[in-house]
Amino acid sequence: MIRKLLLSTAAMLSLAATAAAQDVAIVNAKVWTGTSAGTLDNATIYISDGVIEGMGVNFAAPSGTQTIDVGGNWVTPGIIAPFSRVGTVEVGAEDSTNDTSAGGSPFSVALRAADGFNPAATPVAVTRIEGVTRIAVAPSNGASMIAGQGFLADTSGSPGSISNERAFVYINLGEGGADLAGGSRPAAWSALRGAFADARGYPARFMAHNEGDALTRADAQAFGPAVRGQQLMLVSAHRASDLRLVIDLKAENPNLDVAIVGADEGWMVADELAAANIPVIVDPFSNLPASFSQLGATSRNAERLIEAGVPTAFAHLGNSGHQSRLVLQSAGNAVANGVSFDDAMAAMTVVPAAIFDMDGVGSIERGNRADIVVWDGDPLEVSSAPSSIFINGEPQSLTSRQTKLRDRYLNLDESEKPLAYKR
Amino acid sequence: MKPLIYLMASASLLLAGCGGDDGTSNGDGDSADPVEINRNPFPSTYTPYPSTTTLIKDATVLDGIGGELVGGDVLLVDGKVSEVAEEIAAPDGATVINANGKWVTPGIIDNHSHLGVYPSPSVSAHGDGNEISGAVTAEVWAEHGIWPQDPGFPRALAGGVTSMQILPGSANLFGGRGVTLKNVPARTMQGMKFPDAPYTLKMACGENPKRVYGYGGGRFPGGAPYSRMGNVAGYRMAWAKAVEYKRKWDKYADEGGDPPTRDLELDTLMGVLNGEILVHMHCYRADEMALIMDMSEEFGYKVASFHHAVESYKIADKLAEYDTCSAMWADWWGFKMEAYDGVRENIPMVHQAGACAIVHSDSDIGIQRLNQEAAKALSDGRRAGIEISKADAWQWLSANPAKSLGVFDQTGSLEAGKDADVVIWSGDPFSVYSQAEQVFIDGALMYERGNDALTPVMDFELGQPGEGDLK
């Protein structure tokens, strides 16, 4: 605990350190603000001390500020990938490099994905250079339906990039969770109720019995904040009946802070989700009856959820350790399938920032952190790419291991020296 | 003494044998009635659905072989492409479609799909794509594992996919035969089977075979290969046997006598050596592809396409020289070591080197938006200084996969006489916002967005949540 607290403090200090970035003004920008101001043409964004000090069409940065004229191009808040494993796995199939799950661990809630985060992992830069500046990283289920605790980080790759190392508890209440809990949904829900009781009874019941119904001592302690509604509980489920059980859980425990990831059949219970104010993180690509829990999967899920008033974020859920960057493509596809451009942008910025309680992130407005992306085209177009990226006001590198490999092999001429000499 | 009849059949090897003989015996050993292997025992029953003469007017047309026509017309007659021109007069009785603002392309051909053999829902009973009982299973055929009711087929259709190759998985060194299908719903596999398309053979390099066999955790199936050395030894031993088998059959064809004992595994490999069956090989690493190219020359066959080919950009010159295709993703990477060096510019870099580049899916999700995958690759290439036109890039989606499957004489471009496998897109198909609005297969309108009457729903989805829902 103490070590973790110290780490948290270090992270804060590091954030403060990056705030010393040079002041800069982005001018002549088409800004999707993420606020009621909508999209502004020919706007200026003034970044000072890592935050947005001012912005607007008639706003002028102090004279002498370094200026970047983006020629009328799109500027958006940094994109948030709200369900990712970036930085916790280098090569998926190589267990030695993969810290996403722990099938051999006796712990569940107490597992902290943050302990496995490597800001220098190659997927971090690969993700960043596509415009994704923040990631919510979940552990994967190993031995338990409760995978552990997820964290929030930026994609700068710097040592202090974790902003909240215990942002949420991730629980699988779909087919996978049922399997891990013993083989059925009843087993999963019994385990969850037991876990709630263990957390609420902590530490007393562990003094008397020295073990909980469902959790170890460390897990019961770690589950406390989520059970008390002080920490987000992120639940994975698809089937409408499973989603109703989650809605019921919240009705029985109104203080819970619950969000759902997956929710392929969310549209079937959209009004109930909206009434319960339960946000969802959906993958707009998911339109196949991939399992018997996803028979209602449709490309129109996002549109219907948003129309019903459900706070809806987007994620690309496939290969989440390496391809979270595809959230932008998935958002573009959501627009092709009925979602408005503004709602699609919000689903990668404002909405996930709210779900994860990310302070000062997700919109371009005065006082917010300067997480900003300048694009060479429509940000949702597959043909577009960032031309500049700022995280906490710091300009970011647009290179990755992949761009270095590309540059080495763009010309295959080895007449003078092998390509291994070329960097 | 040469039996004359057999010699003739042998000269046209794609013809089916007559009489349905099982090939192991001709009954009475009469040399006047020689044993012949039936090369087509599960023949296609697909015939094109009824179509009208259709004139698509005033579209941006990509002909699939590098041509672009703005404000062009496309005429489909009797299930074939009849003409592509700036202005075509509507024949009597033609259905005329005003496609102003829309784009027209050849239908997308995915040369790497597991639809049907790994269908949705992906329950345990549906895993019919890997016969992992042995490292060499050239005797199995993907078409025997295809469930034509896979809900993935109509979704691929809605993505503009008109043909696809269904392959066995990559667990084995030799995974078995692949089959090319028209993406037309049918009650049977034969009802989808692309008429006269050659068979293919799936092979696999690298991590998968050695992980599944040698490192099967000491459990089933176990055994060789344990290493890339074992992989190559496994291929070569099988090819050596195939050479011997072919020699026996050739000798029998020349000299008669007792027919060789039939071996289904070696039938497939002999088909490759005879040039009838096209090799499609899962291979990620550049250095492995180079080994495979040498091996193919050792045994006298050619690789039609490397698949996944994540490192093709490292040897694009050698691939061009050997003259094979690379079927690639736009940006998949990192899920295993041999996919670690993936770059976003792989496809344009291969194209730039003059080698055959293909966008493939290997995914029931990816197959629904292969046009977007091409768009990503195209734009990433341009940012790296590789200028390729959209018209040229469309070759990655139709002409080149058709060539790799041996069906380019029938489909894959909008040339007169080709199958009218055509997509009308709502706009530029290199935009994320564009969708396939109408999909023609052999001239018949098989899909129309927003029209329930032209949206197939598989049996599995009837009576289920979301039946016939917008997908």
Side-chain angles (χ1 to χ4, degrees):
Chain A
M1 251 335 261
I2 288 168
R3 189 176 71 87
K4 288 299 159 204
L5 284 173
L6 285 173
L7 267 179
S8 291
T9 310
M12 297 302 291
L13 286 172
S14 167
L15 274 178
T18 60
Q22 194 184 355
D23 292 1
V24 65
I26 298 168
V27 304
N28 196 13
K30 182 184 177 78
V31 181
W32 186 86
T33 63
T35 71
S36 58
T39 299
L40 305 176
D41 280 312
N42 198 20
T44 294
I45 302 169
Y46 172 46
I47 301 169
S48 178
D49 286 341
V51 300
I52 298 163
E53 268 303 317
M55 68 90 57
V57 176
N58 294 316
F59 177 87
S63 62
T65 306
Q66 183 200 338
T67 297
I68 303 172
D69 187 331
V70 300
N73 270 320
W74 282 93
V75 175
T76 70
I79 302 302
I80 299 167
F83 192 84
S84 176
R85 268 99 190 190
V86 164
T88 59
V89 51
E90 187 70 46
V91 179
E94 294 297 336
D95 288 349
S96 61
T97 77
N98 190 334
D99 286 306
T100 59
S101 68
S105 170
F107 298 111
S108 57
V109 193
L111 297 168
R112 296 181 190 177
D115 292 335
F117 183 59
N118 174 16
T122 60
V124 174
V126 167
T127 303
R128 177 184 68 239
I129 68 174
E130 304 274 359
V132 176
T133 57
R134 305 250 164 205
I135 46 179
V137 179
S140 299
N141 295 91
S144 169
M145 58 181 263
I146 307 181
Q149 303 189 53
F151 66 94
L152 310 177
D154 66 51
T155 56
S156 65
S158 59
S161 48
I162 291 181
S163 57
N164 182 348
E165 62 175 25
R166 298 179 62 192
F168 60 96
V169 174
Y170 176 55
I171 305 172
N172 188 320
L173 285 171
E175 291 180 5
D179 187 43
L180 289 168
S184 71
R185 286 174 168 82
W189 282 90
S190 290
L192 186 66
R193 292 181 194 109
F196 267 66
D198 288 346
R200 287 178 174 139
Y202 177 87
R205 79 161 48 189
F206 291 87
M207 291 171 177
H209 310 291
N210 203 30
E211 68 175 25
D213 288 344
L215 298 179
T216 70
R217 188 180 176 285
D219 295 318
Q221 181 188 27
F223 205 23
V227 166
R228 289 193 292 273
Q230 295 159 355
Q231 185 188 28
L232 175 65
M233 194 177 290
L234 185 59
V235 172
S236 166
H238 286 297
R239 200 169 78 180
S241 67
D242 293 333
L243 304 180
R244 287 195 193 95
L245 289 177
V246 177
I247 293 166
D248 291 347
L249 178 74
K250 173 138 192 205
E252 290 159 18
N253 305 273
N255 61 330
L256 287 185
D257 182 9
V258 179
I260 296 172
V261 62
D264 277 355
E265 293 190 349
W267 63 273
M268 293 163 65
V269 293
D271 290 338
E272 294 143 88
L273 288 166
N277 196 28
I278 296 177
V280 295
I281 300 168
V282 300
D283 182 343
F285 284 172
S286 189
N287 70 341
L288 281 158
S291 71
F292 273 86
S293 298
Q294 297 161 280
L295 298 178
T298 165
S299 301
R300 297 281 162 167
N301 190 31
E303 176 198 29
R304 293 171 189 169
L305 286 161
I306 290 167
E307 196 175 323
V310 180
T312 302
F314 294 158
H316 177 70
L317 298 178
N319 191 4
S320 54
H322 298 84
Q323 295 290 62
S324 289
R325 57 183 176 163
L326 298 184
V327 63
L328 286 140
Q329 187 184 1
S330 76
N333 278 265
V335 172
N337 287 293
V339 173
S340 74
F341 178 88
D342 285 341
D343 284 336
M345 283 300 304
M348 305 182 294
T349 55
V350 181
V351 176
I355 291 173
F356 294 102
D357 201 16
M358 294 170 156
D359 195 28
V361 168
S363 58
I364 297 180
E365 55 188 309
R366 187 168 179 193
N368 266 8
R369 295 183 185 201
D371 290 359
I372 288 172
V373 182
V374 182
W375 301 87
D376 64 7
D378 175 346
L380 298 188
E381 267 296 3
V382 281
S383 54
S384 301
S387 51
S388 304
I389 298 172
F390 297 84
I391 296 176
N392 288 318
E394 287 270 15
Q396 301 293 309
S397 162
L398 293 177
T399 61
S400 69
R401 184 172 175 275
Q402 293 192 353
T403 64
K404 283 177 170 280
L405 279 163
R406 173 198 68 199
D407 293 345
R408 167 171 284 181
Y409 286 95
L410 267 174
N411 182 342
L412 296 173
D413 181 12
E414 286 188 306
S415 54
E416 294 294 324
K417 278 276 193 310
L419 290 174
Y421 291 84
K422 186 168 150 189
R423 287 198 283 152
Chain B
M1 189 184 82
K2 286 183 185 176
L4 189 59
I5 293 171
Y6 185 77
L7 190 67
M8 288 173 66
S10 162
S12 53
L13 288 164
L14 290 174
L15 287 181
C18 46
D21 196 298
D22 69 3
T24 55
S25 165
N26 63 352
D28 59 7
D30 182 353
S31 62
D33 187 16
V35 170
E36 190 181 335
I37 293 171
N38 179 357
R39 287 164 173 75
N40 190 21
F42 307 94
S44 169
T45 59
Y46 168 75
T47 52
Y49 279 84
S51 60
T52 58
T53 295
T54 302
L55 179 62
I56 305 166
K57 295 282 296 175
D58 207 14
T60 300
V61 182
L62 303 182
D63 66 8
I65 50 170
E68 175 173 345
L69 191 58
V70 178
D73 296 356
V74 179
L75 181 63
L76 314 179
V77 179
D78 293 335
K80 304 290 182 190
V81 176
S82 171
E83 192 181 359
V84 177
E86 285 191 5
E87 187 71 41
I88 300 173
D92 285 347
T95 302
V96 178
I97 298 170
N98 176 6
N100 183 260
K102 303 182 193 304
W103 289 51
V104 175
T105 68
I108 293 173
I109 300 170
D110 186 2
N111 86 342
H112 194 119
S113 172
H114 300 296
L115 291 180
V117 293
Y118 282 112
S120 300
S122 61
V123 290
S124 59
H126 276 172
D128 286 315
N130 273 300
E131 179 54 46
I132 63 166
S133 54
V136 181
T137 59
E139 70 275 17
V140 307
W141 299 17
E143 66 190 46
H144 300 150
I146 288 174
W147 185 45
Q149 297 295 342
D150 185 350
F153 288 123
R155 286 165 176 79
L157 182 64
V161 174
T162 53
S163 295
M164 66 219 136
Q165 174 174 228
I166 308 302
L167 285 165
S170 52
N172 329 69
L173 299 175
F174 293 83
R177 291 196 196 192
V179 64
T180 300
L181 304 179
K182 288 268 187 178
N183 194 10
V184 171
R187 288 173 291 159
T188 64
M189 177 282 297
Q190 293 91 326
M192 303 178 77
K193 200 166 177 178
F194 197 116
D196 302 324
Y199 275 108
T200 60
L201 169 63
K202 173 73 177 290
M203 294 177 65
C205 293
E207 293 181 27
N208 287 11
K210 65 179 192 147
R211 185 187 69 243
V212 171
Y213 297 96
Y215 293 92
R219 301 181 301 274
F220 175 83
Y226 272 85
S227 68
R228 285 183 162 85
M229 297 187 292
N231 287 353
V232 176
Y235 311 132
R236 295 178 75 226
M237 286 193 292
W239 286 124
K241 278 168 64 183
V243 166
E244 188 183 341
Y245 185 69
K246 173 175 153 54
R247 192 182 300 132
K248 285 180 185 165
W249 278 97
D250 288 348
K251 183 165 184 278
Y252 171 68
D254 286 345
E255 301 171 11
D258 288 338
T261 302
R262 183 88 184 273
D263 183 312
L264 293 180
E265 175 187 309
L266 295 175
D267 277 356
T268 295
L269 301 188
M270 180 172 68
V272 172
L273 298 178
N274 285 336
E276 303 159 18
I277 296 177
L278 305 174
V279 173
H280 285 256
M281 191 151 190
H282 158 120
C283 223
Y284 286 75
R285 260 173 39 183
D287 53 312
E288 281 186 286
M289 288 187 261
L291 291 171
I292 298 303
M293 288 189 281
D294 276 356
M295 181 182 72
S296 73
E297 284 166 1
E298 178 187 8
F299 290 99
Y301 70 93
K302 188 145 182 113
V303 178
S305 182
F306 287 111
H307 285 245
H308 312 330
V310 160
E311 292 189 2
S312 277
Y313 68 95
K314 296 186 182 181
I315 52 160
D317 51 348
K318 297 179 191 297
L319 293 163
E321 189 184 349
Y322 175 91
D323 190 23
T324 190
C325 296
S326 299
M328 299 163 278
W329 298 291
D331 54 18
W332 285 27
W333 77 288
F335 43 93
K336 55 181 168 174
M337 203 59 212
E338 61 194 6
Y340 192 51
D341 284 5
V343 301
R344 298 171 299 179
E345 298 81 3
N346 194 25
I347 293 165
M349 286 167 79
V350 169
H351 178 106
Q352 176 85 341
C356 164
I358 293 169
V359 182
H360 78 340
S361 80
D362 190 21
S363 158
D364 51 11
I365 292 290
I367 196 173
Q368 300 180 45
R369 49 187 65 82
L370 285 167
N371 55 310
Q372 293 174 23
E373 302 306 295
K376 288 191 285 188
L378 181 69
S379 53
D380 286 329
R382 285 177 177 177
R383 268 187 288 272
I386 302 172
E387 276 301 327
I388 298 170
S389 70
K390 289 176 179 176
D392 274 334
W394 200 268
Q395 295 176 83
W396 307 339
L397 297 166
S398 60
N400 288 350
K403 288 173 186 168
S404 80
L405 299 173
V407 296
F408 187 57
D409 55 339
Q410 295 167 76
T411 188
S413 67
L414 300 183
E415 294 169 283
K418 290 272 183 90
D419 293 354
D421 298 339
V422 179
V423 182
I424 302 178
W425 301 87
S426 60
D428 178 355
F430 291 87
S431 164
V432 76
Y433 302 126
S434 297
Q435 293 180 314
E437 284 190 341
Q438 291 178 309
V439 182
F440 299 84
I441 298 180
D442 288 304
L445 183 57
M446 300 307 290
Y447 174 76
E448 185 169 65
R449 189 168 296 275
N451 181 353
D452 284 350
L454 281 170
T455 303
V457 177
M458 299 288 97
D459 288 355
F460 177 74
E461 297 193 86
L462 283 182
Q464 303 276 22
E467 168 193 326
D469 196 0
L470 291 161
K471 300 297 180 189

